[in-house]
Amino acid sequence: MKKEILVTGGAGYIGSHMCKLLSRQGYHPVVLDNLSRGHRRAVKWGAYYHGSCEDKGLLNKIFVSHNISAVMHFAAFAYVGESVAEPGMYYQNNVAASISLLQSMVENNISDFIFSSTCAVYGEPEESPIPETHPKNPVNPYGWSKYMVERILQDFSIGYGLRYISLRYFNASGADPEGEIGEDHTPETHLIPLTLQTALGQRNEVEIYGGDYDTKDGTCVRDYIHIDDLAQAHLLAMEKLKDDGFNMTYNLGNGDGYSVKEIIDLAREITGRSIAARVVNRRMGDPPALVGSGEKAKRELGWKPRYPDLRDIIETAWNWHRNNPDGYQ
């Protein structure tokens, strides 16, 4: 009998790729998503329930109807700018709804929890690549909401015996190499899809926020991790938690990072299309470089990214966007 895994936010970008991997590895994903940011057409594996983590009645129904052995939690809002403008919405969805989910898990004797966190918990980097021991000082409500849940997990572990692993990463990128699912956000804020939409003629240009940073080419450097590699790390984390039972936190990073110009230049090469780009003013709070160290995850989880190269990331994303120019619509 397949082990059933509840995947909250399973209709979203990361969650849907997670469900495909779980299914391929012999698990049975059960998706909970209210489709506020996800897509029904992305739910291709396992049962689907429409709703929120705040709906305790629905959660109890899921836990009674399915033999859930672990929960993977991706149902969070993740736009930094939006979190600054609408902090209440972020604390309600990212924190309060997470508490509701954790309480339902405790009430239904489900102990294993894999949390999709973020390197935004670190705030302005004091060293690079950023290790897990870096001071935690979020600079926006999004980062704070994730860090609050991490702290709550510690207390739930002490009080109720919850077992958890938190995974912190920056930019999930690329798409399913087989082209079944991909990245489709409204509004879109991520650099790679914005660049590829420009290549498709859906946008006039890509805006580069600042060209005079102290980096190799003057543009910001960021960490980009292929979506399948992120999903693989979550699977390894869940299996390690079941084997060892130790609460842990891991960064998922490539250790080097890529600049905005590198992304755009390589996208021009891969697509064979001219992509107009224009340097505009810096955004407040953008540090020159944000790169996470994934060495601990590689060492302890046995995580071996299959697509660490930027070309692979952009090529799989381009395959998805070219064949699905309107996304899931």
Side-chain angles (χ1 to χ4, degrees):
M1 182 177 179
K2 288 185 177 181
K3 292 183 179 179
E4 294 184 288
I5 311 298
L6 176 60
V7 182
T8 69
Y13 175 42
I14 304 176
S16 60
H17 285 79
M18 187 74 248
C19 287
K20 180 173 182 175
L21 178 61
L22 285 169
S23 180
R24 178 163 286 180
Q25 294 299 314
Y27 294 92
H28 185 82
V30 177
V31 173
L32 172 63
D33 200 303
N34 63 8
L35 302 183
S36 64
R37 304 286 166 99
H39 305 275
R40 183 64 181 86
R41 287 181 59 192
V43 182
K44 299 173 181 283
W45 301 273
Y48 168 68
Y49 291 85
H50 183 273
S52 164
C53 295
E54 294 183 276
D55 188 339
K56 297 289 286 292
L58 179 57
L59 286 170
N60 287 333
K61 176 183 177 181
I62 293 171
F63 290 138
V64 169
S65 301
H66 298 272
N67 185 27
I68 301 296
S69 62
V71 175
M72 293 184 165
H73 187 35
F74 300 97
F77 295 151
Y79 294 133
V80 169
E82 183 181 62
S83 78
V84 175
E86 297 287 349
M89 182 172 74
Y90 270 66
Y91 290 124
Q92 184 67 43
N93 183 74
N94 293 7
V95 181
S98 295
I99 294 173
S100 172
L101 173 62
L102 293 170
Q103 288 176 327
S104 290
M105 288 179 62
V106 170
E107 292 166 4
N108 287 275
N109 299 312
I110 298 166
S111 61
D112 290 359
F113 189 76
I114 305 300
F115 181 50
S116 174
S117 190
T118 172
C119 285
V121 302
Y122 298 119
E124 298 287 340
E126 298 178 4
E127 57 181 303
S128 183
I130 302 171
E132 289 83 356
T133 53
H134 187 286
K136 316 307 179 289
N137 188 28
V139 295
N140 53 66
Y142 167 63
W144 275 113
S145 71
K146 291 288 192 174
Y147 187 45
M148 287 178 181
V149 175
E150 288 195 11
R151 188 66 185 85
I152 291 166
L153 290 176
Q154 295 177 39
D155 293 336
F156 267 65
S157 179
I158 295 169
Y160 307 117
L162 182 80
R163 309 192 310 176
Y164 67 88
I165 290 180
S166 294
L167 299 172
R168 300 170 179 157
Y169 45 91
F170 281 115
N171 298 304
S173 308
D176 169 30
E178 296 176 348
E180 283 189 276
I181 47 178
E183 186 170 11
D184 181 8
H185 297 120
T186 302
E188 186 55 74
T189 63
H190 296 166
L191 176 61
I192 291 176
L194 289 173
T195 301
L196 297 179
Q197 287 172 2
T198 305
L200 288 169
Q202 297 172 331
R203 297 178 183 272
N204 294 326
E205 62 183 12
V206 182
E207 292 185 334
I208 300 174
Y209 296 103
D212 57 352
Y213 284 96
D214 184 19
T215 60
K216 47 192 167 185
D217 60 21
T219 63
C220 287
V221 172
R222 294 292 183 266
D223 212 326
Y224 296 89
I225 307 297
H226 193 279
I227 188 70
D228 268 21
D229 290 332
L230 282 180
Q232 181 68 28
H234 283 76
L235 178 64
L236 290 169
M238 180 184 71
E239 292 178 342
K240 182 174 182 62
L241 186 62
K242 290 194 172 299
D243 289 341
D244 298 344
F246 299 129
N247 302 331
M248 294 297 296
T249 300
Y250 296 98
N251 286 345
L252 303 177
N254 60 47
D256 294 316
Y258 304 102
S259 75
V260 175
K261 283 186 177 179
E262 285 178 316
I263 296 287
I264 297 172
D265 286 344
L266 187 53
R268 289 176 178 137
E269 179 185 330
I270 289 170
T271 64
R273 305 187 184 189
S274 60
I275 298 173
R278 178 170 59 96
V279 176
V280 298
N281 292 334
R282 293 185 180 191
R283 292 183 298 194
M284 288 185 60
D286 263 354
L290 289 173
V291 179
S293 170
E295 291 308 308
K296 181 181 176 184
K298 292 174 182 177
R299 184 175 64 252
E300 296 186 9
L301 296 180
W303 182 49
K304 298 178 181 178
R306 294 178 59 197
Y307 307 101
D309 188 80
L310 180 60
R311 178 177 292 275
D312 292 329
I313 291 172
I314 296 179
E315 283 181 346
T316 57
W318 175 236
N319 181 53
W320 160 258
H321 284 282
R322 184 180 53 205
N323 292 320
N324 301 273
D326 297 319
Y328 287 105
Q329 301 305 312

